Amino acid sequence: MKSTAELEVELNANYAFDAITEAGANLTPVSGPGLQGLQNLGNSCYLNSVMQVLMAVPELSKRYGTSPGGSLTQHNLLQNVPPKEAAGNLLTQTTKLASALTSGLFAHPIAEEIGPDANAMVTDPKYRLAPRMLKNVVGKNHVDFCTGQQQDAAQFLQYYLELLELQERKASARLTKGDGPLYTTSHLFGFRTTSRLECQADQAVKYKDSATETIWSLRIPMEKAVVPKDGDKEATDVPEQKRLKADDEEPKPVPRLSIEACLDSWASETTIDGLQWSHLGNAKHSATQKTRLTNFPRYIVLQAQRYTLGPDWSPIKLEVSLDVPDEMDLSKYKFLGPLPSDRVVPAESADTEAKTADGPTTPAVDEAALAQLMDMGFSLNSCKRALTAVGGNNIEAAMGWVFEHNTDSDFNDPLPDVGTDVSPEIGKAVAESAVQSLADSLGCFSVDQVRVALEETNGAPDRAADWLFSHMDDLEGAISALKKNRAPVEPVGSEESVSLEDGPGFYRLTGLISHIGKNTGSGHYVAHLKKGDKWIIFNDEKVAVSEHPPKEHAYLYLLQRTDTIDSPHESY
């Protein structure tokens, strides 16, 4: 007989299964342009869900898709691409998949309208769309996405947007409108945050801007969740898979929490100990910190951190239902500028980053340890922070650090750039520890080659590896060209060629990606999208009108600024 703990783990894997897949509901299948399912390649539902959500964004369906009845081969991004390069060209494969999703050319007839031959026609290979080539080109240089294992949809989305931006910049001449600037895909989601740090010694204030981000990751403050009482509608209308029970135990209702509580927790004031303040002679003092959004992008991807570590340090899913409204006012989370009473740290001191460490350098982060820690459900930036704090590769110590610091307001912020060495050859700042780490990881390139690649990609290891592999045919020639030019094309991660979009803080919920399973490295992903006045469920190849979109169980939420609805950006 299974113990209560074993039953809880087993039921946890199926948490909200019925609600997310809408099992048992009489769903009406739909098919057509924008209503095309994607074949599951084994464990590719994370990719399927992300691509369905992205290509439902009007700007992206316009840039990469094909209008109903149009010809896939006439798309601008498919023209003049050498056949031998097409398979490895990210823009080509993105365009192929997007055009298939938006054109309706592969949409199968509705079974109810066909008659006795329905099953044979619906399963006809010509109606099945497999994203195999896109998966191959995205994952070819990634330790996780190159495998056939399940992956984290949020991690995949972030990585895909980074790769896509790199390729869009290389193909800027084909994507810009006339002589206008290039608007990359990540620009649609790009936002920054501004943190207000107040020194507790003299109440001086320093403001710090983050790097551009594309996913707003929110911790779920379970301490604020409310367990419905017996007899409450929320307690009684809970699907069977959403309850924990063992044998004859009474069903256990699931705690509830508002998404506003998650946002408030992100924006709450926190205390940081041991910061160095240059205006006080680098003396260390505690500081209070508040973080706000610097701009309101056209679209926001909210990530609900539904995964944590259990008593045995194994990843588990938080059992909580989030109350998420269709309309949100995020205005109170906007940075409105310094307060009139602020005594801001002088500009000459503000250039020196307040640091918690005594030394100027940070240890190199082990890529394998980073991937293993991210498999437990934590964001890329938080995992980098944890590993950096414990020396770069100690997973056990990093998990301990996560337990202590997961409530920090900067837990998911990018690490500040510290301790860089300047290469005299091209003149860009790169960390030598990062050079050596990447050279050891790749194994087939010299330290000098890796250094040049990192300089060209602003120090980003993934993009540096992509640059090296894409220039293997004539690597020395490519390096020589960079040295002669001394003014390379603007890399991903540098300042945007156009300002980040901003507007009023009113948003509408337009998409969901939900996860079923104990952690993001297993289970199943399902997408829901708002199409007109109806919600549509995209469960791999199954596409139907949704009766009850699982807003309370989603892992990723797509929000659109209400002033942009029905007004797509003209530069895409």
Side-chain angles (χ1 to χ4, degrees), residues 125-194:
K126 70 181 181 181
Y127 297 121
R128 306 192 73 187
L129 192 60
R132 186 172 287 105
M133 297 188 74
L134 177 67
K135 183 179 183 300
N136 290 341
V137 71
V138 173
K140 64 180 179 181
N141 294 322
H142 194 280
V143 66
D144 292 320
F145 301 136
C146 68
T147 70
Q149 299 176 345
Q150 185 66 279
Q151 303 298 335
D152 184 350
Q155 183 183 357
F156 175 79
L157 172 60
Q158 188 172 47
Y159 181 70
Y160 175 70
L161 289 177
E162 290 178 356
L163 287 184
L164 197 59
E165 180 169 354
L166 175 64
Q167 298 304 318
E168 286 176 333
R169 291 191 183 281
K170 290 181 178 179
S172 59
R174 306 177 72 181
L175 296 173
T176 53
K177 302 288 186 178
D179 296 329
L182 171 66
Y183 286 84
T184 62
T185 292
S186 59
H187 182 268
L188 295 167
F189 309 93
F191 68 92
R192 288 178 177 166
T193 61
T194 299

Side-chain angles (χ1 to χ4, degrees), residues 133-316:
M133 297 188 74
L134 177 67
K135 183 179 183 300
N136 290 341
V137 71
V138 173
K140 64 180 179 181
N141 294 322
H142 194 280
V143 66
D144 292 320
F145 301 136
C146 68
T147 70
Q149 299 176 345
Q150 185 66 279
Q151 303 298 335
D152 184 350
Q155 183 183 357
F156 175 79
L157 172 60
Q158 188 172 47
Y159 181 70
Y160 175 70
L161 289 177
E162 290 178 356
L163 287 184
L164 197 59
E165 180 169 354
L166 175 64
Q167 298 304 318
E168 286 176 333
R169 291 191 183 281
K170 290 181 178 179
S172 59
R174 306 177 72 181
L175 296 173
T176 53
K177 302 288 186 178
D179 296 329
L182 171 66
Y183 286 84
T184 62
T185 292
S186 59
H187 182 268
L188 295 167
F189 309 93
F191 68 92
R192 288 178 177 166
T193 61
T194 299
S195 296
R196 180 183 184 274
L197 294 163
E198 181 175 332
C199 180
Q200 295 302 286
D202 64 354
Q203 285 67 55
V205 174
K206 175 179 179 178
Y207 288 93
K208 182 179 69 173
D209 294 329
S210 75
T212 302
E213 302 175 65
T214 51
I215 297 180
W216 190 1
S217 188
L218 301 177
R219 184 184 76 90
I220 297 179
M222 291 299 292
E223 67 276 8
K224 297 182 181 180
V226 176
V227 178
K229 298 179 181 179
D230 292 341
D232 288 354
K233 185 177 186 299
E234 291 84 355
T236 57
D237 290 353
V238 179
E240 192 69 17
Q241 283 78 1
K242 290 167 56 182
R243 301 171 175 175
L244 289 180
K245 61 179 182 179
D247 298 332
D248 297 329
E249 286 186 9
E250 290 296 321
K252 182 179 178 180
V254 175
R256 301 191 70 87
L257 186 69
S258 69
I259 192 69
E260 185 176 10
C262 300
L263 293 165
D264 288 342
S265 177
W266 173 85
S268 63
E269 183 176 274
T270 58
T271 300
I272 302 176
D273 296 323
L275 286 182
Q276 291 181 356
W277 295 89
S278 57
H279 74 290
L280 296 177
N282 288 331
K284 291 185 177 181
H285 296 284
S286 297
T288 57
Q289 177 176 268
K290 288 183 178 180
T291 303
R292 296 292 184 270
L293 292 178
T294 309
N295 67 293
F296 284 132
R298 182 168 287 248
Y299 299 92
I300 288 180
V301 177
L302 283 181
Q303 177 191 24
Q305 296 178 16
R306 291 184 175 272
Y307 306 91
T308 185
L309 297 179
D312 59 351
W313 288 14
S314 61
I316 60 174

Side-chain angles (χ1 to χ4, degrees), residues 4-19:
T4 301
E6 290 173 328
L7 284 169
E8 287 186 355
V9 170
E10 182 178 306
L11 288 168
N12 190 33
N14 295 322
Y15 173 64
F17 178 88
D18 281 356

